[in-house]
Amino acid sequence: MRTRGGTRLLAVCLLSVLPLLAAALLLWHGSAGKGGGRSGGSTAHGGSRVEAWQLLLALAVVVAVARGLGTLASRYLSQPRVVGEMVSGIVLGPSVLGLVAPRAYDALFPAALHSYLNLVAQIGLALFMFLIGMEFGDAQHEDAGRTGVAVGVVGVCLSFALGCGLGYALYTGYAPEGVGFLPFTLFLGISMSVTAFPVLARLLMERGMLQSRAGAYAIVGAATADLACWLLLAGLVALLRGGSPLGVLRTLALTAAFFGVMVVLVRPALRRVLERSERRLADGGVLTLIVPGVLLSAVATELIGIHLIFGAFLFGAICPKTAPALENARGKLQELVTAVLLPPFFASVGVKTDLLRLGEGGGALWVWAGVALLVAVAGKLTGSAAAAALMSVERVDALRIGVLMNCRGLTELVILTIGLDLGVLSPALFTMLVMVTLCATVMTAPLLDLLDRAEARRAAPAPAKAAAVVR
């Protein structure tokens, strides 16, 4: 028994290490042949003044359309609500509204409004990352640890290696001017490795799979994969913003110091306050503690030189999950964020996504979009399913885990937006990868239905065959 377990562990280790060795070789070869460089940040929209009523009108439309399409996706298309909300950003952007009714689009989203919309989106994004941090801390399932971690690690390693290969192929013709080969390729590897942890959790809840073995393994695997991707992304952002090796070391040292302060000092203080909130905080005081804490943590990591999402995520991860007052405040905040503050983020992504860009250059980017989708699915679905099978998970459940791990959703949009803001992605590549994200997310529910029907068909003939023998 021990020998069989050791063989499985060795196979999982090989599946994890070999893709990383291939990626390292690819990065070394590409860096030697294609040179370095450092990207510049994207420019913000400037220009004419925006009136308050224009921003309020745009936000009202954004929230209403996101709500409507989210309900449509959930009720009639058997998709998670967030899929419809993601599509709402594309519908309100230049790809649909700007094409069908350009005057209405220009009136609703003038260029000068984009930066204001992005600021509102950043607030919603910070609060949403706090909620993800809390869910990440909740991802604990008995007997799911080893298998879930194996699924997450192998899925990330294979996806990262294939993503680096995609970056190697795209660099010469599609990387923005001045972006080095290494950051561009590393970013493509990271973007291919993500699993949408919050979308996955809600999908499992809606389908009643959260307590199943496949669901438990997928949740732990998604948490492991996303943690690895956030750490890789934090290092890449430090590399891009730090400039010199000394600057990168300074950023990493400040990040480590911030992490230590949050875990050693802030976490115990939060536990003492929140576990006896009725004595220490007045009515509604929990939110007045949590929201400034999230925003200040986001400010700290932004000033350190990594993105604001890391501070917000860490604040959520260190919050005590057992405090009843925090659980109540979390429910109120989650409703506000998902219904009101997150749709502006989808709209911010939508106004930067122009599908007409994919037709430039003879439509080659449409071909590359298909290749990128194949790379994304092959890395996540194949790697995660293979790891689950090696850990003695039944074949159907292993395939379910692979399908679930391929769900990308909102988390990938966050990472792609960071890449666009850092200048690592061109607008055309950003658009292409947004479409890949949407396709991979939409695939999840239909593929799960297909597996369910296949399993039902395989189980159905046995009783029928027995009845025929009796006759």
Side-chain angles (χ1 to χ4, degrees):
M1 205 59 183
R2 185 172 297 175
T3 304
R4 185 181 301 175
T7 304
R8 288 200 301 267
L9 183 60
L10 177 62
V12 168
C13 290
L14 287 175
L15 276 176
S16 302
V17 172
L18 290 178
L20 292 181
L21 289 176
L25 182 62
L26 188 70
L27 292 170
W28 174 79
H29 180 268
S31 297
K34 302 184 180 182
R38 183 170 176 266
S39 66
S42 60
T43 57
H45 292 283
S48 61
R49 173 176 170 156
V50 173
E51 299 292 340
W53 67 265
Q54 291 178 286
L55 179 60
L56 294 177
L57 176 62
L59 291 176
V61 172
V62 163
V63 171
V65 173
R67 180 69 179 182
L69 291 182
T71 302
L72 177 68
S74 175
R75 188 171 298 174
Y76 300 107
L77 302 178
S78 301
Q79 292 285 348
R81 180 180 294 275
V82 72
V83 170
E85 294 170 351
M86 289 165 60
V87 173
S88 73
I90 307 296
V91 169
L92 290 172
S95 301
V96 179
L97 182 62
L99 193 63
V100 175
R103 289 187 179 181
Y105 173 74
D106 291 336
L108 191 59
F109 300 108
L113 184 72
H114 292 186
S115 58
Y116 294 92
L117 186 64
N118 188 58
L119 289 175
V120 177
Q122 295 304 309
I123 296 172
L125 186 58
L127 293 173
F128 179 73
M129 291 305 297
F130 161 75
L131 295 173
I132 292 181
M134 289 197 68
E135 289 189 15
F136 178 84
D138 285 343
Q140 306 292 334
H141 293 266
E142 291 185 13
D143 302 325
R146 277 180 57 185
T147 300
V149 169
V151 165
V153 169
V154 173
V156 166
C157 292
L158 185 56
S159 300
F160 181 80
L162 292 175
C164 287
L166 180 67
Y168 183 91
L170 287 171
Y171 178 75
T172 302
Y174 296 99
E177 188 69 29
V179 176
F181 170 79
L182 190 61
F184 178 81
T185 306
L186 285 174
F187 185 85
L188 264 292
I190 294 169
S191 69
M192 292 290 108
S193 306
V194 173
T195 295
F197 182 83
V199 177
L200 176 61
R202 276 151 187 74
L203 180 66
L204 291 172
M205 281 193 284
E206 290 175 12
R207 299 180 70 95
M209 293 178 61
L210 199 55
Q211 302 305 321
S212 66
R213 284 204 344 157
Y217 294 150
I219 280 288
V220 176
T224 304
D226 280 5
L227 179 61
C229 289
W230 291 130
L231 292 174
L232 288 170
L233 186 61
L236 180 58
V237 173
L239 176 67
L240 288 167
R241 289 184 171 177
S244 65
L246 187 61
V248 174
L249 288 176
R250 172 185 169 276
T251 301
L252 293 177
L254 288 174
T255 302
F258 174 74
F259 181 84
V261 168
M262 294 292 282
V263 172
V264 176
L265 299 179
V266 177
R267 185 177 186 176
L270 281 173
R271 183 180 291 111
R272 284 196 298 271
V273 172
L274 291 172
E275 288 182 351
R276 295 188 178 181
S277 59
E278 68 282 353
R279 296 183 183 179
R280 302 175 185 269
L281 297 171
D283 292 341
V286 175
L287 280 178
T288 60
L289 172 68
I290 291 301
V291 173
V294 173
L295 298 180
L296 289 174
S297 300
V299 169
T301 50
E302 185 71 22
L303 293 178
I304 284 172
I306 57 177
H307 201 273
L308 62 88
I309 62 172
F310 299 109
F313 175 85
L314 180 59
F315 190 85
I318 66 169
C319 278
K321 311 302 182 293
T322 56
L326 180 61
E327 191 61 32
N328 294 334
R330 174 187 182 180
K332 297 175 184 176
L333 186 61
Q334 184 163 337
E335 185 175 353
L336 173 67
V337 170
T338 55
V340 178
L341 295 179
L342 206 53
F345 171 74
F346 296 125
S348 178
V349 171
V351 298
K352 299 168 188 172
T353 303
D354 187 356
L355 295 179
L356 295 179
R357 293 180 184 274
L358 299 184
E360 297 173 358
L365 271 176
W366 281 110
V367 177
W368 279 114
V371 172
L373 182 60
L374 286 175
V375 166
V377 173
K380 271 293 179 183
L381 198 156
T382 305
S384 301
L390 284 170
M391 298 301 288
S392 299
V393 176
E394 293 180 5
R395 186 173 64 176
V396 174
D397 275 344
L399 288 173
R400 283 196 183 98
I401 291 168
V403 170
L404 289 167
M405 291 293 291
N406 189 49
C407 182
R408 294 165 190 277
L410 178 56
T411 310
E412 175 115 354
L413 291 184
V414 173
I415 289 181
L416 295 180
T417 303
I418 293 172
L420 183 66
D421 291 341
L422 290 172
V424 180
L425 296 179
S426 66
L429 269 183
F430 174 80
T431 297
M432 183 190 85
L433 293 174
V434 166
M435 294 309 299
V436 170
T437 301
L438 285 171
C439 290
T441 306
V442 169
M443 287 167 55
T444 306
L447 286 177
L448 288 174
D449 290 338
L450 189 64
L451 287 173
D452 290 343
R453 287 196 296 270
E455 187 177 28
R457 280 197 304 268
R458 191 167 53 252
K465 200 172 196 181
V469 169
V470 170
R471 287 197 196 99

